Amino acid sequence: MGNADYVYPSTNEYCQCAHPVAVPPPQPFFKSFKNSLKETFFPDDPLRQFKNKTPSRKFFLGLQYFLPILEWGPRYTFQFLKSDLISGITIASLAIPQGISYAKLANLPPILGLYSSFIPPLIYAMMGSSRDLAVGTVAVASLLIGSMLGDEVNATENPALYLHLAFTATFFAGLLQASLGLLRLGFIVDFLSHATIVGFMGGAATVVILQQLKGILGLQHFTQSTDIISVLRSVFSQIHEWRWESGVLGAVFLFFLLLSRYFSKKRPKFFWISAMAPLTTVILGSLLVYLTHAEKHGVDVIGNLKKGLNPPSFGDFVFTSPYLTTAVKTGMITGIIALAEGIAVGRSFAMFKHYSIDGNKEMVAIGTMNIVGSCFSCYLTTGPFSRSAVNFNAGCKTAMSNVVMAIAVMFTLLFLTPLFHYTPLVVLSAIIISAMLGLIDYEAAIHLWKVDKFDFVVCMGAYIGVVFASVEVGLVIAVAISVLRLLLFVARPKTFVLGNLPNSTIYRSVEQYPTTNDVPGILILQIDAPIYFANSSYLRERISRWIDEEEDKLKSTGETSLQYVIFNMSAVGNIDTSGISMLEEVKKITDRRGLKLVLANPGAEVMKKLNKSKFIETIGKEWIYLTVGEAVEACNYKLHTCKPDATNEDSQPWNSV
């Protein structure tokens, strides 16, 4: 980096390229406020489709917005039905054993897993905008419900109250989800970053796998805690109660499930093998227990499952203290986690098929299906990745695949539940472990380490918190670290020195482009963030330090003394009163040092506030330029055509706004 190749512009060149920086015309307060609200809550402009339409057409479009089935339903074809029929039957074969397994994970009656795979998919098929999302219960939410409700009520000692709390928590989860969508507050879910979700899901999967040692080893008594220390202590303190029959069965079925998944991954056209594997293990396990009477030799089975469709449960909600607080807290935390997973999965598959989904509409759909589900003996549901991936690979065309799955589950509830009597619990544990191994995404963690170390810290913070403390603690740690990083981005914005790229009027960071040339007598700084109260003090101190360092460098090399400080404000999208006060202080600092402060490329919002605060009059509107290049040319013109003392308050370059 140097200044030998810098070419000074001629007076004619400077005069021809100078352009004024405009102050936006004033807008009425209510119009400005309306535009701000629109940009905050309606960035996608969902009301655009209602413009210039008749009242009846607006009403129908409104129905289509909340019930997308009215939009794609009239265009539904027999070819779509064939594809959705295959997809629906395929995901039903996965949903039935997974539903039973995840209900056990939440310490709920197994039949609730089937109930939750019947009503919610029907609601989502009408209201959801994703073609690929397969609705059902998920392991992480089930674990959270079991952990958080278990801290308040023992599911074994008081099963009725525990069950009613689960319905109540699901109701509040749905209420929160639907409210976030209706109020256009979906951006709250974005605080769960990708790194947070990777770590949290991996930690939760690890905890779930460890807890399945109870079923694999046939243990009757097990800790209610979810941390790894408590779980391992519970396992190894009961070595004398380990049942080898259960362990052998679990190992064999787990090997079969992992082998089928590995085969389907290597040969994607055989995806149906891994999808059918859980149901196959249930059938084989049930037959084995029935034929060998293994239930009499230490192998626990599900037992009787109630026959029939979902009974109503809206009369079972618990709205009395002290349980109401527990239900609300559980519902809010599990609701946010389920919402983040469902929307992320839906967007992922929508990207593959080149269509888009409305996040707020999805929140309303997921929330509504949980509210309705909680009234009919269902617990929390969302769109799990594993089931949605099977739905996608099976070639689904619309959300009708969820209807087909619901019909298959309904048929099971009406006629087939007695067949699950002999299903061994160890099979359910093997199904859960197989599914959870896919959630430990170590490749994503390695990628985070390579790309962004701070994201890796967030990921590991979530993982370690979940595994060594609890699911709630891990979530709090991850969100806290993510928010801390967000605050650091705001409070400690990047500032860097710009230099001139050789043979051009382009100015870039001297760190990114070491070949840039210094401009003698001029320090060019770029502020890379909005200027707010949170970062104004830091920026004032950092700018003073940049000036000190530049002056020290010029003194040590004997080059031209510093005369101008140019701020490139192209990245400053906004500024508040604290930021304006900071600029006024910097202006005083530069004046005391005999330097001239120059602004380049301030945006419309910044110019509007600088004008209202009279700062433009303070700095002089002749010292505000459209580009860094114009500002440098003006300063160079002054340096080489005026006397050394011409940089006082009365001096003016040729450009004038």
Side-chain angles (χ1 to χ4, degrees):
M1 185 177 71
N3 55 31
D5 297 327
Y6 186 81
V7 179
Y8 300 108
S10 66
T11 302
N12 289 336
E13 289 175 336
Y14 166 61
C15 292
Q16 290 172 0
C17 68
H19 299 284
V21 180
V23 176
Q27 284 188 345
F29 170 76
F30 287 105
K31 183 178 180 181
S32 177
F33 183 70
K34 177 183 175 182
N35 291 337
S36 297
L37 284 180
K38 183 178 179 180
E39 290 301 316
T40 302
F41 297 105
F42 302 96
D44 55 343
D45 193 12
L47 302 179
R48 181 180 63 254
Q49 59 180 329
F50 296 95
K51 293 178 180 178
N52 303 320
K53 297 292 191 299
T54 61
S56 59
R57 182 60 181 167
K58 287 180 179 179
F59 176 76
F60 186 70
L61 288 174
L63 284 179
Q64 284 187 339
Y65 181 82
F66 289 104
L67 297 171
I69 192 172
L70 297 178
E71 182 180 352
W72 56 263
R75 303 194 306 268
Y76 199 73
T77 64
F78 182 71
Q79 292 298 322
F80 284 179
L81 178 60
K82 287 197 297 183
S83 299
D84 289 337
L85 191 62
I86 295 172
S87 301
I89 294 173
T90 305
I91 58 176
S93 68
L94 182 63
I96 292 169
Q98 276 191 352
I100 295 172
S101 304
Y102 294 161
K104 290 290 292 181
L105 182 61
N107 297 321
L108 293 168
I111 193 67
L112 258 67
L114 297 182
Y115 290 160
S116 302
S117 297
F118 173 47
I119 297 290
L122 294 175
I123 303 297
Y124 184 83
M126 293 187 291
M127 301 186 67
S129 58
S130 172
R131 306 170 195 167
D132 304 282
L133 205 67
V135 171
T137 55
V138 289
V140 174
S142 300
L143 173 68
L144 276 167
I145 289 174
S147 172
M148 298 182 71
L149 294 184
D151 291 339
E152 186 71 26
V153 178
N154 190 298
T156 305
E157 297 175 358
N158 200 341
L161 177 59
Y162 185 89
L163 181 64
H164 297 168
L165 282 177
F167 295 150
T168 309
T170 302
F171 173 78
F172 281 113
L175 198 62
L176 173 67
Q177 293 167 337
S179 299
L180 289 177
L182 289 172
L183 298 175
R184 313 290 292 183
L185 296 175
F187 60 85
I188 292 177
V189 180
D190 294 336
F191 279 94
L192 293 176
S193 65
H194 172 68
T196 301
I197 292 175
V198 169
F200 178 79
M201 290 295 185
T206 302
V207 168
V208 170
I209 290 171
L210 290 172
Q211 288 210 328
Q212 296 319 298
L213 292 175
K214 174 187 177 182
I216 294 292
L217 299 175
L219 299 175
Q220 297 298 320
H221 306 287
F222 207 71
T223 179
Q224 295 293 324
S225 302
T226 59
D227 63 283
I228 187 172
I229 304 298
S230 300
V231 171
L232 292 180
R233 185 188 296 120
S234 182
V235 169
F236 288 102
S237 64
Q238 303 182 74
I239 294 179
H240 58 285
E241 295 187 16
W242 291 7
R243 298 185 179 276
W244 68 267
E245 302 95 336
S246 182
V248 170
L249 273 178
V252 170
F253 285 124
L254 180 59
F255 176 76
F256 171 72
L257 289 167
L258 295 178
L259 184 65
S260 64
R261 192 174 71 179
Y262 176 80
F263 181 77
S264 295
K265 190 175 181 180
K266 289 295 182 181
R267 297 176 178 269
K269 65 179 180 179
F270 292 104
F271 69 91
W272 53 271
I273 292 179
S274 63
M276 298 291 292
L279 185 59
T280 304
T281 58
V282 168
I283 295 172
L284 292 177
S286 301
L287 285 174
L288 185 63
V289 170
Y290 178 75
L291 295 175
T292 62
H293 301 288
E295 78 278 9
K296 299 178 181 178
H297 301 282
V299 177
D300 294 326
V301 297
I302 290 178
N304 291 321
L305 287 182
K306 185 179 178 182
K307 203 173 180 181
L309 300 180
N310 303 37
S313 58
F314 43 80
D316 297 332
F317 293 151
V318 180
F319 295 122
T320 58
S321 60
Y323 304 114
L324 179 61
T325 304
T326 301
V328 172
K329 183 176 74 170
T330 303
M332 291 183 67
I333 293 178
T334 56
I336 291 291
I337 294 295
L339 203 56
E341 181 177 0
I343 292 177
V345 171
R347 284 175 175 166
S348 298
F349 290 112
M351 181 180 65
F352 287 131
K353 287 190 176 180
H354 309 292
Y355 70 93
S356 61
I357 63 172
D358 186 333
N360 289 291
K361 191 187 298 184
E362 284 294 284
M363 292 179 190
V364 174
I366 294 174
T368 304
M369 76 181 186
N370 279 313
I371 292 173
V372 175
S374 67
C375 298
F376 292 94
S377 302
C378 302
Y379 79 103
L380 192 67
T381 54
T382 186
F385 178 80
S386 58
R387 206 174 300 177
S388 300
V390 170
N391 196 31
F392 176 84
N393 290 325
C396 68
K397 299 299 182 183
T398 68
M400 185 60 71
S401 59
N402 280 288
V403 176
V404 175
M405 177 186 71
I407 293 173
V409 173
M410 179 186 71
F411 183 81
T412 302
L413 286 169
L414 290 174
F415 305 108
L416 303 181
T417 50
L419 300 180
F420 293 99
H421 177 90
Y422 290 100
T423 301
L425 297 183
V426 66
V427 168
L428 303 184
S429 295
I431 291 172
I432 292 174
I433 291 174
S434 173
M436 290 302 96
L437 287 173
L439 289 181
I440 303 176
D441 196 351
Y442 64 89
E443 292 180 349
I446 294 173
H447 178 72
L448 291 174
W449 170 259
K450 291 179 179 178
V451 176
D452 192 324
K453 300 295 189 292
F454 203 107
D455 267 354
F456 179 78
V457 171
V458 172
C459 175
M460 293 310 298
Y463 182 85
I464 293 172
V466 170
V467 172
F468 287 94
S470 67
V471 176
E472 305 97 288
V473 170
L475 184 61
V476 169
I477 289 175
V479 172
I481 297 175
S482 298
V483 172
L484 175 62
R485 186 181 196 188
L486 179 63
L487 293 176
L488 286 175
F489 277 141
V490 175
R492 294 294 182 268
K494 293 288 185 182
T495 59
F496 41 86
V497 177
L498 302 183
N500 177 245
L501 291 178
N503 303 315
S504 75
T505 57
I506 299 173
Y507 295 83
R508 292 293 181 267
S509 169
V510 297
E511 291 184 3
Q512 185 178 1
Y513 297 92
T515 59
T516 55
N517 298 315
D518 288 335
V519 183
I522 302 174
L523 173 62
I524 311 170
L525 298 176
Q526 175 154 326
I527 302 172
D528 216 18
I531 305 176
Y532 293 127
F533 66 93
N535 59 27
S536 57
S537 295
Y538 167 78
L539 286 174
R540 182 183 62 252
E541 295 169 2
R542 190 66 185 92
I543 289 167
S544 297
R545 190 173 126 203
W546 278 122
I547 295 173
D548 290 338
E549 291 174 352
E550 183 69 13
E551 288 185 329
D552 291 343
K553 185 180 76 170
L554 293 176
K555 286 178 183 178
S556 64
T557 58
E559 296 179 13
T560 306
S561 62
L562 185 62
Q563 299 290 329
Y564 295 94
V565 178
I566 299 175
F567 287 172
N568 179 15
M569 303 185 71
S570 56
V572 182
N574 210 329
I575 189 170
D576 67 358
T577 53
S578 298
I580 295 172
S581 297
M582 183 275 293
L583 290 180
E584 291 172 345
E585 291 178 29
V586 171
K587 174 69 169 62
K588 292 175 183 177
I589 292 172
T590 54
D591 287 346
R592 286 197 299 268
R593 295 187 178 203
L595 306 176
K596 176 57 67 178
L597 181 63
V598 183
L599 304 184
N601 195 23
E605 193 67 24
V606 174
M607 281 296 291
K608 183 166 59 177
K609 292 185 179 180
L610 293 182
N611 182 54
K612 289 181 178 179
S613 66
K614 309 296 184 182
F615 181 76
I616 292 180
E617 296 179 11
T618 302
I619 192 176
K621 57 184 179 181
E622 65 276 6
W623 293 106
I624 303 177
Y625 293 89
L626 193 62
T627 66
V628 174
E630 290 183 4
V632 171
E633 289 169 1
C635 294
N636 268 320
Y637 175 76
K638 292 295 301 176
L639 280 173
H640 296 89
T641 60
C642 302
K643 296 178 181 180
D645 63 348
T647 57
N648 58 30
E649 290 293 321
D650 298 325
S651 62
Q652 295 183 4
W654 286 35
N655 178 39
S656 181
V657 181

